[in-house]
């Protein structure tokens, strides 16, 4: 492995990838090829997305997997309608706050990441099948769609550089003596190095069970029994009934408008509402004459994000269990009141949530097919292999979901909080796909997302503004250096991380405004700024304020340079 790979130096450029018959963008070239092949064989955007989800489980198991959760936004070109699937799992029925508090031994009351009480029912397997049943072309079978990933896992694949680094960084979760089957995810007892050939036969078998038996192949029978055995052996309370009774949810996505575009997100329990609130606040700001790396611009974006996180961390929870004031949080009137709290040249301290009206490690990837359908999809197991717990003969790890200081997707270990853990309840989730459409006629403008815990809504806001305000093409919008406001489940920490690429005078000016600036952040530290993918339909972004394109049949795709991935089209 070269020093350039180790330090993640950005010494080259990429052009956006253009095509007319279909485009894919994801964090791994082998998975991207599989997604494109599915389109060429008659599949649509949903078919391609599920094929890539499975392939990414094979090639990036530290970031994602069938032992985690997923969310999907699908744009139907015929109806011009955006729909969503919530593929996140619920807490075991017997879980309670008391269970967690008795098991916790950290001073902050949180569980160690590897503890089995962290595990909720894995929702990805059902989410994949439901995506195909609801949105798929029906021209390809589940076997057709999952076979490329099965072949990769059976015959082996060369491990990519960033994936190898992730494998190495979290190998301790797999090698703990309390995790007897962790070696199934290793190569001769060690994390594979970049370029080494890795096989995952147990994961291939899990996928084959899904092909042969559908959702029952995962949520009932040997795989379900192995999951429950592993969880209960580690002190968890999951039962076979918890798995058997799991279902995805079909939900109406939420949206706001930002300067002539409609921005779509999945509703709570996901944190997509954070991005929508921030964009509504920033719509009130005068950005005329500001550059994307200027201190005043960065200050406004950071302050809007702080205010939005203060609200989402308080109110975002499982709406089937508690009241989530979505309409109030998304109202433009409420956004105006929050914007009034931003001082033009002074960083806020101790940001608090407002009172809206009560009315009314992760992989992200996207696909647009030749008919104009789009799938914005995200899948995760969190925190690098999640808990690291590997069920016997299954080939995947189980997610971490309860409480973590560095990433979200958590319950709040606090009695009477809307996001307090309880049986059958879904936790606050960080993984969020997104889309843009044109308000006048519902035409698709983009499928996009940025992964990375609490970075995700921050990334969504920044890439949207890069295109809408500054006329950047999809690849340039991803290449642009990013800011990251420090956030934990306990609230907005206030640290402002700035990626390498911002002028030194910007960092100095922001510090003088009172921001706790950390940066420039380079090398492997860039991971804090997430990894994104974008596909736009047409070049509507080329001129700020315009949402029409010179040719709306041309797809423009970009893939984040902070990962191993690429965009492909034909």
């Amino acid at each position: 492995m070269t020093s350039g790979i180790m330090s993640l130096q950005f010494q080259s450029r990429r052009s956006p990838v253009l095509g007319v018959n279909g485009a894919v963008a994801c964090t791994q070239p082998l998975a991207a090829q599989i997604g494109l092949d599915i389109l060429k064989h008659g599949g649509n955007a949903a078919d391609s997305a599920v094929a890539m989800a499975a392939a990414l489980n094979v090639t990036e198991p530290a970031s994602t997997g069938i032992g985690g959760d997923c969310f999907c936004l699908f744009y139907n070109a015929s109806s011009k309608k955006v729909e969503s699937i919530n593929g996140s799992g619920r807490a075991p029925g017997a879980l309670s706050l008391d269970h967690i508090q008795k098991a916790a031994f950290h001073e902050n009351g949180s569980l160690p990441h590897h503890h089995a009480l962290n595990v909720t029912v894995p929702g990805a397997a059902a989410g994949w099948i439901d995506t195909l049943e609801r949105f798929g072309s029906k021209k390809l079978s589940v076997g057709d769609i999952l076979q490329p990933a099965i072949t990769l896992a059976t015959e082996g694949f060369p491990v990519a550089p960033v994936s190898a680094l992730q494998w190495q960084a979290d190998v301790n979760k797999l090698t703990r003596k309390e995790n007897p089957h962790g070696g199934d995810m290793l190569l001769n007892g060690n994390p594979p190095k970049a370029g080494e050939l890795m096989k995952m036969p147990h994961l291939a078998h899990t996928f084959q069970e899904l092909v042969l038996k559908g959702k029952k192949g995962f949520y009932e029978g040997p795989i379900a029994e192995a999951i429950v055995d592993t969880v209960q052996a580690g002190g968890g309370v999951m039962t076979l009934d918890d798995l058997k009774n799991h279902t995805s949810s079909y939900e109406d996505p939420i949206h706001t408008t930002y300067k002539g575009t409609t921005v779509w997100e999945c509703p709570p329990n996901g944190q997509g509402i954070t991005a929508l609130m921030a964009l509504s606040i920033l719509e009130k700001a005068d950005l005329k004459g500001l550059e994307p790396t200027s201190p005043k611009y960065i200050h406004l974006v950071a302050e809007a994000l702080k205010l939005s996180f203060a609200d989402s961390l308080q109110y975002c929870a499982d709406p089937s269990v508690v009241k989530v004031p979505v309409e109030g949080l998304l109202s433009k009137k409420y956004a105006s009141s929050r914007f009034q709290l931003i001082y033009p040249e002074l960083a806020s301290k101790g940001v608090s949530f407002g009172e809206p009206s009560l009315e009314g490690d992760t992989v992200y990837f996207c696909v647009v097919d030749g008919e104009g359908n789009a799938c914005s999809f995200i899948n995760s197991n969190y925190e690098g292999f999640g808990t690291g717990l590997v069920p016997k003969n299954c080939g995947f790890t189980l997610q971490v979901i309860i409480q973590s200081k560095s990433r979200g997707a958590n319950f709040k270990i606090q009695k009477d909080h809307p996001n307090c853990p309880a049986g059958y309840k879904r936790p606050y989730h960080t993984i969020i796909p997104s889309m843009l459409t044109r308000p006048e006629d519902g035409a698709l403008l983009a499928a996009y997302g940025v992964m990375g815990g609490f970075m995700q809504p921050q990334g969504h806001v920044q890439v949207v503004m890069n295109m809408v305000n500054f006329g950047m093409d999809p690849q340039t919008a991803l290449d642009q250096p990013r800011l990251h406001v420090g956030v934990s489940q306990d609230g907005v920490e206030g640290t402002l991380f700035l990626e390498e690429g911002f002028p030194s005078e910007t960092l100095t000016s922001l510090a003088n405004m009172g921001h706790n600036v950390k940066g420039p952040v380079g090398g492997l530290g860039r991971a804090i700024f997430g990894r994104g993918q974008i596909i736009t339909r047409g070049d509507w972004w080329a001129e700020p304020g315009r949402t029409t394109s010179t040719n709306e049949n041309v797809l423009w795709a970009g893939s984040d340079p902070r990962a191993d991935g690429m965009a492909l089209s034909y």
Side-chain angles (χ1 to χ4, degrees):
M1 189 175 295
T2 68
S3 59
I5 292 172
M6 287 295 293
S7 61
L8 294 183
Q9 296 176 10
F10 289 7
Q11 296 177 326
S12 63
R13 64 169 295 278
R14 296 184 188 182
S15 295
V17 174
L18 279 68
V20 293
N21 296 310
V24 302
C26 75
T27 54
Q28 220 284 334
L30 295 174
Q33 288 281 1
I34 285 170
L36 197 67
D37 286 344
I38 291 292
L39 294 180
K40 290 181 177 180
H41 285 92
N44 71 357
D47 301 332
S48 175
V50 172
M52 286 196 291
L56 287 163
N57 188 171
V58 178
T59 57
E60 286 192 57
S63 300
T64 186
I66 201 168
D69 289 339
C70 68
F71 288 81
C72 168
L73 286 175
F74 186 81
Y75 176 84
N76 186 307
S78 298
S79 65
K80 295 187 176 181
K81 183 178 180 182
V82 180
E83 298 180 69
S84 74
I85 288 179
N86 182 334
S88 66
R90 299 166 182 82
L95 184 73
S96 67
L97 180 61
D98 187 56
H99 277 116
I100 296 167
Q101 291 176 327
K102 286 180 178 178
F105 57 76
H106 290 318
E107 289 183 3
N108 61 20
S110 65
L111 295 166
H113 292 172
H114 59 263
H115 200 288
L117 278 172
N118 280 311
V119 181
T120 50
V121 172
W128 295 358
I129 299 299
D130 291 334
T131 295
L132 296 177
E133 291 180 352
R134 182 90 167 196
F135 306 130
S137 68
K138 312 303 188 293
K139 296 177 181 178
L140 301 178
S141 67
V142 175
D144 294 330
I145 291 165
L146 295 187
Q147 185 57 50
I150 292 171
T151 300
L152 272 183
T154 303
E155 297 181 0
F157 63 95
V159 177
V162 174
S163 183
L165 291 173
Q166 293 171 328
W167 228 306
Q168 174 66 48
D170 293 291
V171 67
N172 61 305
K173 293 184 180 180
L174 302 176
T175 55
R176 291 184 302 107
K177 63 180 181 180
E178 299 90 352
N179 191 13
H181 307 297
D184 293 351
M185 309 282 289
L186 299 172
L187 183 62
N188 300 320
N190 297 302
K193 298 177 181 178
E196 288 193 312
L197 197 66
M198 182 70 182
K199 297 181 180 181
M200 304 182 71
H202 293 305
L203 182 59
H205 175 72
T206 293
F207 288 169
Q208 287 166 341
E209 288 292 288
L210 203 59
V211 170
L212 293 173
K213 303 173 186 175
K215 287 181 279 190
K216 285 187 177 182
F218 188 89
Y219 294 99
E220 300 179 41
I223 293 174
E225 292 167 4
I227 292 171
V228 169
D229 288 346
T230 298
V231 171
Q232 292 187 357
V237 294
M238 188 176 292
T239 67
L240 289 172
D241 281 343
D242 291 324
L243 289 161
K244 183 178 180 179
N245 295 328
H246 170 74
T247 58
S248 304
S249 300
Y250 302 104
E251 301 171 337
D252 292 329
I254 56 176
H255 65 276
T256 193
T257 55
Y258 178 75
K259 296 192 174 181
T261 63
T262 301
V263 188
W264 297 88
E265 299 276 357
C266 293
N269 56 313
Q271 66 170 347
I273 195 169
T274 314
L276 301 183
M277 288 189 290
L279 287 169
S280 290
I281 292 170
L282 286 163
E283 194 173 38
K284 310 297 179 184
D286 181 8
L287 305 179
K288 192 176 299 181
L290 299 183
E291 296 296 326
T293 58
S294 64
K296 185 174 181 180
Y297 175 76
I298 298 303
H299 169 73
L300 289 169
V301 174
E303 293 300 295
L305 286 168
K306 289 180 188 178
L307 290 165
S308 301
F309 269 117
D311 281 336
S312 63
L313 290 170
Q314 173 62 27
Y315 296 110
C316 185
D318 186 343
S320 69
V321 179
V322 298
K323 172 67 177 178
V324 181
V326 172
E327 185 177 344
L329 290 169
L330 292 180
S331 77
K332 295 294 187 179
K333 181 178 180 181
Y334 182 64
S336 295
S337 70
R338 297 296 271 169
F339 176 71
Q340 298 303 316
L341 300 178
I342 297 177
Y343 291 95
E345 296 184 1
L346 183 65
S348 58
K349 307 293 182 183
V351 180
S352 300
F353 59 86
E355 296 183 2
S357 169
L358 292 177
E359 298 175 0
D361 267 296
T362 302
V363 289
Y364 169 80
F365 43 98
C366 50
V367 188
V368 179
D369 62 33
E371 296 180 355
N373 304 303
C375 195
S376 186
F377 203 100
I378 197 159
N379 208 121
S380 181
N381 54 17
Y382 311 104
E383 292 263 335
F385 293 114
T387 60
L389 294 172
V390 180
K392 184 178 180 180
N393 297 331
C394 290
F396 60 83
T397 58
L398 297 168
Q399 63 193 346
V400 57
I401 204 79
I402 299 298
Q403 181 174 2
S404 148
K405 301 302 287 185
S406 60
R407 286 176 69 106
N410 313 313
F411 283 122
K412 177 76 170 177
I413 312 304
Q414 178 182 322
K415 188 177 181 180
D416 299 327
H417 191 279
N419 202 35
C420 180
Y424 306 118
K425 187 178 182 180
R426 281 170 161 157
Y428 177 111
H429 241 290
T430 59
I431 61 174
I432 51 173
S434 191
M435 280 187 177
L436 300 177
T437 60
R438 192 162 51 213
E440 308 92 85
D441 58 4
L444 177 71
L445 297 179
Y448 74 100
V450 177
M451 64 207 81
F454 287 115
M455 179 62 202
Q456 295 185 50
Q458 304 187 50
H460 285 200
V461 167
Q462 291 174 73
V463 297
V464 168
M465 294 182 73
N466 286 343
M467 291 189 290
V468 172
N469 292 315
F470 301 112
M472 297 184 191
D473 67 62
Q475 188 60 57
T476 305
L478 291 171
D479 292 345
Q480 185 72 17
R482 296 181 191 142
L483 66 91
H484 175 103
V485 173
V487 178
S488 78
Q489 198 208 39
D490 290 334
V492 180
E493 298 170 348
T495 304
L496 179 59
F497 298 90
L498 294 178
E499 190 173 15
E500 195 173 83
F502 285 99
S504 58
E505 52 267 30
T506 292
L507 277 70
T508 301
S509 295
L510 288 165
N512 290 338
M513 291 180 186
H515 290 280
N516 180 20
V517 177
K518 300 292 183 183
V521 180
L524 300 181
R526 291 181 187 270
I528 195 175
F529 302 105
R531 305 175 296 165
Q533 319 292 330
I534 311 174
I535 302 173
T536 70
R537 190 167 181 83
D539 63 350
W540 53 268
W541 35 260
E543 182 181 331
R546 187 189 78 184
T547 57
T548 56
S549 301
T550 55
N551 191 330
E552 295 193 350
N553 290 324
V554 175
L555 304 175
W556 295 68
S559 183
D560 205 307
R562 299 163 186 85
D564 290 318
M566 65 191 306
L568 295 173
S569 67
Y570 77 113

